[in-house]
Amino acid sequence: MGLVRQIVRTQLRMWGKDELCEAAELGVTELLTNVLVHASGDCELLVGEISDGVVVGVTDFDDGLPVAKVPTDDEPGGRGLFLLSQLAEEFEIHALTRGKQVWFRLALAPGADEKQPGTPADPRREITC
């Protein structure tokens, strides 16, 4: 997992999105950990640059859908997706024909990027693991 976080951090720095590194690494760790714990088989990680931030998605081929619920104080786990949903500007879970995709969008602070919000900076600017 450490190598994946390092790859994400390096790519975000190359894109000039340094301020999003910590949140993106946290989100990637949560999504990949959920796949390792709750799904079977392979998964795909996509990190894409958009003009005002980044989009991160994890696709796996297990049909079980996760639930981002408000945890109670006495629950030992189940906080990760809820925390990610609060941290990200957008967070969604999509059922696919086979499996699911969980993704989130992180945005730069206002004024940090001069391009139009939400538009792709360059369609080739993404990494897939």
Side-chain angles (χ1 to χ4, degrees):
M1 197 76 69
L3 178 59
V4 174
R5 285 192 303 266
Q6 182 180 0
I7 291 168
V8 169
R9 182 181 329 114
T10 299
Q11 189 63 54
L12 266 61
R13 287 181 176 159
M14 288 174 52
W15 288 338
K17 314 280 187 189
D18 300 46
E19 72 182 74
L20 301 178
C21 286
E22 189 174 312
E25 289 177 55
L26 175 72
V28 164
T29 300
E30 176 59 31
L31 296 184
L32 291 178
T33 298
N34 281 352
V35 169
L36 290 171
V37 172
H38 301 290
S40 58
D42 295 330
C43 70
E44 181 179 90
L45 167 67
L46 173 73
V47 180
E49 180 191 33
I50 55 175
S51 62
D52 68 335
V54 295
V55 175
V56 176
V58 171
T59 302
D60 69 60
F61 306 100
D62 188 279
D63 291 330
L65 294 178
V67 177
K69 61 180 180 165
V70 178
T72 62
D73 290 340
D74 59 343
E75 287 180 287
R79 290 169 173 71
L81 289 180
F82 171 74
L83 293 173
L84 184 56
S85 74
Q86 301 303 298
L87 176 68
E89 277 66 35
E90 291 180 72
F91 172 82
E92 293 190 19
I93 299 167
H94 295 280
L96 305 174
T97 303
R98 183 171 161 251
K100 64 189 160 292
Q101 182 181 62
V102 182
W103 67 271
F104 62 93
R105 180 179 67 84
L106 299 172
L108 295 167
D113 197 330
E114 297 178 14
K115 299 174 188 169
Q116 292 298 315
T119 59
D122 180 338
R124 296 166 294 161
R125 297 192 75 168
E126 63 185 32
I127 59 172
T128 303
C129 301

